[in-house]
Amino acid sequence: MALLITDECINCDVCEPECPNQAISMGPEIYQIDPARCTECVGHFDTPQCVQVCPVDCIPVDPGRAETNAQLWAKYRVLQIAAGNTLSEAIVAGPEAVASGLMPAPSS
Ligand code: SF4
Ligand code: SF4
C-alpha cells in the first residue's frame, strides 16, 4: 500500500528529503504523499524511510491503496524507467530473485 500523511503532521520538513521516490511534497496545509510514487520504499530500503524519521508518527498505510509487494516492485520499475535509469538484472528479476538470494537487492 502507499502511505499517507494525516493531519497530525507538524510540517517539520524531515520526511521530504528522505523519500527515494520524490513522493512527498508540501500540500495546501501539510505535507502529502503522491500514491503513484510511493512504493513503501520497496526497491530502495527494507522499511519506509519517512515513517522512520517522522517525530509524530503520522504516516500510516493508506487502507484505500491496497497493493501487493509485486505491484510495489512494478511501480518501482516504472519510476526507474521514467527517470531514465538503467534497470539492473536484480530489478528486472524482481523480488523473488532477491528474496531467494540469487540477486542482491538493488540500491537507490
Ligand atoms: Fe517515500 Fe518510502 Fe515514504 Fe513512500 S514509504 S513516501 S517511497 S519514503
Ligand atoms: Fe509531517 Fe511527519 Fe513529515 Fe514531519 S516527518 S513533515 S511531521 S509527515
Side-chain angles (χ1 to χ4, degrees), residues 3 18-21 23-24 33 37-41 48-51:
L3 306 188
E18 298 299 324
C19 178
N21 290 328
I24 302 174
I33 292 175
R37 300 192 67 85
C38 176
T39 64
E40 292 187 42
C41 286
Q49 299 299 288
C50 56
V51 174

Side-chain angles (χ1 to χ4, degrees), residues 26-70:
M26 187 64 192
E29 295 184 359
I30 58 173
Y31 276 85
Q32 60 191 11
I33 292 175
D34 179 355
R37 300 192 67 85
C38 176
T39 64
E40 292 187 42
C41 286
V42 162
H44 296 282
F45 301 102
D46 291 337
T47 56
Q49 299 299 288
C50 56
V51 174
Q52 291 216 325
V53 299
C54 180
V56 294
D57 195 22
C58 70
I59 315 179
V61 293
D62 183 347
R65 299 268 179 187
E67 292 168 294
T68 65
N69 198 47

